[in-house]
């Protein structure tokens, strides 16, 4: 059995030219070429083109036969997409095995599984988070758009079959889906941007725009010649979107309407004789359009793995050379993989069997990589302590809950120690997360229940607001609101006797990170007063610290504060792992990490942040807990201790370090026996 003949649209070279615009926008944007702030909208252009072509084929088949032959439709999809995808996956997998560190290779295994079953958009949506690896460390991130398309092409044929008895009802239903999808995308982007960006229901309107255009053309006998003015408007909309639309929390939303509308106008007028269409049908544009699928597949792994090995590109010339490699691989893929499979006649069962076999192999290898934790034995002993440290930052948060009522309603709370009413509150930022294993161990050994509340990048201080480069405006506001709610909760939490404050105090006082994370910035302001022009941030933080402790002493028997662990400024376990693992590789980045730092070099950094706490400790208002003696000796602070990694990055400790330093927290859980014990 061969693929059943279908009713393709007449070939239009302008569509290949439009594909070229879309793919070049994406590729140039990803490789960092300046001036293309919205190059990512090339994906939206692809969505409309895809809906127009595939929707047109399905509609013609439906109008000619009264039904849709699903098996033939999906065989055509396999023939079109699978060969180049699996070729890319195989090569990327081999290079990832050679280059990626275990925790990243483990994630690659998960990505390979998700991409093979067209669910990678769901995976990447779920992975968004504070400590999620950067997007340029995910070799298969670009497959999210392929997943969105294929999910749509599960929906569309079934939808047509559902309404096949009445094509008028079908068109009305499709328009209704278009309206619902567009409305959801526009209304929800501001609050749920990752949802509307990655998930199919909120992108379906883009493909449906192409589908409805194709249906309109088929029903009215359009020849797609249209008006030159509309082609110019369409091109202007697409190019303006590529040049001007900003990435970030406002996209897709209403902004996505502009590239989609521009693409619709270009498609609707693409067969006319006008300068825009002559530009789109130039041989060079048509060639790029023909290899656009392969170019999209190959450019992202080339970018990710080259940056992973090299670090940042030296200049645009280097970026252009890597992009040229992507184009070369795309041509090879198109010429020797895509074309032969498309042109050869083969029984449907052979095509299906080959796709299923390749899928099973990909799923199996992905599962092996994932279950074997990324195969850490691939690298030598120099890399192993850093590799172990990079994997030693996940804690068990299974006991955490988010109350739906009560004084802490909506705030995640995590019990530590034995069961029972909490007697010690541990409140802080991501350093609480880092020390979780040690806090829990100290609470268990003391037999004292505790309660942990933490929020990344949020100082455990009252009446302040912060603006952080690594956070959204919503996250900044959530910090202020949560701290206010915590402040108002103490009268309704009678079992609590002590409170322990943990934070990256130097970050808040100085306003920025240091060393390898110097690019992270934070501004701290009074929550209920105007920004104080000319006042040092360290003074704002010091005043907030004093006011916070004064308030806490009204509710707690004792206030304890953890002295911030020393920042090993040039250390990051992931970068150190790469440097050790890639030593000797051609083009590998030069070593930039250091596992230790003189304690004296940190004095200027910490003096302002520690001053208010030391003053309050001297006055007996707080008890200061000091982890430095555990990390520093002989005047040097070290990220490695007895061959074990104690730091995840330059300021967060690992679980190994946290457990070793559990005695530091013993004073927090040293309570007198009484009625509440």
């Amino acid at each position: 059995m061969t693929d059943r003949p279908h009713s393709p649209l007449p070939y239009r070279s302008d569509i290949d030219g439009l594909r070229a615009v879309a793919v070049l926008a994406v590729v140039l944007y990803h490789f960092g070429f300046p001036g293309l702030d919205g190059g990512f909208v090339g994906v939206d252009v692809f969505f409309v083109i895809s809906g127009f072509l595939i929707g047109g084929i399905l509609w013609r088949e439906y109008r000619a036969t009264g039904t849709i032959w699903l098996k033939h439709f999906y065989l055509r999809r396999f023939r079109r997409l699978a060969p180049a995808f699996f070729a890319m996956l195989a090569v990327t997998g081999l290079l990832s095995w050679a280059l990626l560190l275990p925790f990243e290779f483990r994630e690659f295994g998960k990505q390979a599984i998700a991409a093979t079953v067209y669910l990678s958009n769901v995976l990447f949506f779920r992975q968004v988070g504070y400590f999620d690896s950067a997007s340029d460390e995910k070799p298969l991130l670009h497959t999210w758009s392929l997943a969105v398309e294929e999910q749509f092409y599960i929906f569309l044929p079934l939808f047509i079959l559902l309404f096949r008895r009445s094509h008028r009802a079908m068109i009305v239903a499709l328009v209704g889906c278009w309206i619902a999808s567009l409305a959801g995308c526009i209304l929800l982007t501001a609050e749920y941007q990752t949802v509307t960006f990655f998930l199919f229901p909120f992108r379906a309107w883009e493909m449906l725009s192409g589908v409805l255009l194709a249906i309109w053309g088929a029903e009215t006998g359009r020849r797609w010649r249209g008006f030159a003015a509309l082609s110019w408007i369409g091109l202007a909309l697409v190019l303006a979107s590529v040049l001007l639309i900003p990435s970030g929390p406002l996209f897709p939303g209403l902004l996505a309407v502009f590239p989609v509308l521009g693409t619709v106008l270009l498609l609707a007028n693409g067969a006319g004789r006008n300068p825009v269409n002559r530009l789109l049908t130039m041989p060079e544009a048509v060639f790029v359009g023909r290899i656009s699928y392969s170019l999209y597949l190959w450019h992202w792994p080339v970018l990710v793995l080259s940056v992973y090995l090299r670090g940042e590109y030296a200049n645009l010339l280097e970026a252009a050379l890597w992009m040229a490699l992507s184009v070369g691989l795309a041509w090879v893929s198109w010429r020797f993989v895509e074309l032969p499979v498309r042109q050869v006649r083969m029984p449907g069962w052979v095509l299906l069997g080959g796709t299923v076999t390749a899928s099973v192999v990909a799923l199996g290898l992905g599962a092996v990589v994932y279950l074997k934790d990324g195969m850490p034995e691939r690298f030598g002993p120099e890399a192993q302590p850093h590799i172990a440290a990079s994997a030693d930052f996940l804690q068990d948060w299974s006991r955490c809950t988010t109350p739906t009522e009560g004084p802490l309603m909506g705030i995640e709370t995590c019990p530590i120690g034995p069961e029972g009413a909490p007697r010690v509150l541990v409140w802080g930022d991501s350093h609480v997360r880092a020390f979780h294993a040690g806090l829990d161990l100290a609470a268990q050994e003391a037999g004292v229940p505790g309660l942990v509340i933490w929020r990344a990048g949020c100082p455990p201080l009252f009446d302040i607001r912060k603006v952080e480069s690594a956070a959204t405006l919503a996250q900044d506001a959530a910090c202020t609101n949560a701290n206010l709610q915590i402040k108002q909760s103490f009268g309704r939490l009678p079992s609590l006797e002590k409170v322990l404050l943990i934070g990256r105090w130097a970050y808040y006082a100085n306003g920025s990170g240091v060393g390898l994370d110097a690019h992270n910035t934070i501004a701290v302001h009074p929550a209920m007063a105007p920004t104080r022009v000319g006042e040092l941030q360290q003074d704002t933080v010091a005043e907030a610290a004093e006011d916070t402790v004064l308030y806490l002493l009204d509710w707690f028997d004792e206030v304890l504060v953890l002295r911030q662990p020393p920042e090993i400024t040039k250390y990051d376990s992931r970068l150190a792992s790469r440097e050790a693992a890639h030593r000797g590789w051609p083009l590998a980045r030069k070593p930039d990490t250091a596992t230790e730092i003189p304690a004296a070099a940190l004095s200027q950094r910490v003096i302002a942040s520690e001053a208010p706490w030391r003053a309050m400790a001297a006055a007996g208002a707080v008890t200061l807990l000091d982890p430095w003696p555990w990390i520093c000796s002989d005047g040097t602070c070290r990220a490695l201790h007895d061959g074990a990694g104690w730091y995840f990055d330059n300021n967060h400790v690992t679980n190994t370090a946290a457990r070793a330093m559990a005695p530091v927290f013993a004073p927090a859980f040293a309570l007198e026996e009484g009625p509440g014990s």
Side-chain angles (χ1 to χ4, degrees), residues 339-368:
L339 279 185
V341 176
R342 285 195 213 173
Q343 293 171 352
V344 69
R345 295 182 61 84
M346 68 176 73
W349 65 267
V350 172
L351 180 60
L352 178 62
T355 303
V356 170
T357 300
S359 299
V360 170
V361 171
L363 292 172
L365 292 177
V368 169

Side-chain angles (χ1 to χ4, degrees), residues 83-234:
F85 167 78
F86 285 115
M88 178 277 297
L89 185 61
V91 174
T92 303
L94 285 172
L95 290 173
S96 296
W97 174 85
L99 286 172
L100 296 187
L101 297 175
F103 69 95
E104 293 154 338
F105 194 44
R106 180 178 185 270
E107 287 303 303
F108 175 83
K110 191 191 300 183
Q111 294 168 30
I113 293 171
T116 300
V117 296
Y118 293 110
L119 287 174
S120 55
N121 61 324
V122 178
L123 172 67
F124 294 124
F125 157 68
R126 291 171 60 89
Q127 284 184 342
V128 173
Y130 183 71
F131 283 104
D132 180 35
S133 61
S135 62
D136 60 3
E137 295 175 355
K138 299 175 180 178
L140 300 180
L141 177 63
H142 63 317
T143 62
W144 75 268
S145 63
L146 306 181
V148 169
E149 276 200 42
E150 292 317 297
Q151 290 161 21
F152 179 76
Y153 293 126
I154 292 173
F155 156 81
L156 183 61
L158 296 177
F159 194 88
I160 292 175
L161 289 176
L162 180 65
F163 287 92
R164 66 181 180 273
R165 296 188 182 277
S166 172
H167 77 274
R168 290 183 181 274
M170 185 189 307
I171 293 174
V172 170
L174 285 171
V175 171
C177 290
W178 180 86
I179 293 172
S181 176
L182 174 60
C185 179
I186 292 173
L187 295 175
L188 296 179
T189 290
E191 191 169 356
Y192 303 102
Q193 189 264 342
T194 54
V195 173
T196 58
F197 187 91
F198 281 113
L199 298 190
F200 141 70
F202 306 98
R203 292 298 193 125
W205 69 274
E206 301 184 31
M207 287 163 282
L208 281 171
S209 297
V211 171
L212 291 171
L213 177 65
I215 292 174
W216 174 72
E219 292 298 292
T220 59
R222 301 296 299 178
R223 300 179 67 182
W224 309 114
R225 292 183 178 176
F227 303 95
L230 294 180
S231 292
W232 281 110
I233 293 171

Side-chain angles (χ1 to χ4, degrees), residues 25-33 40 43 142 296 299-300 303 313:
V26 172
V27 172
L28 289 168
Y29 169 76
H30 283 157
F31 275 92
F33 282 76
F40 55 87
V43 171
H142 63 317
Y296 182 79
H299 87 279
W300 184 253
L303 172 66
Y313 292 148

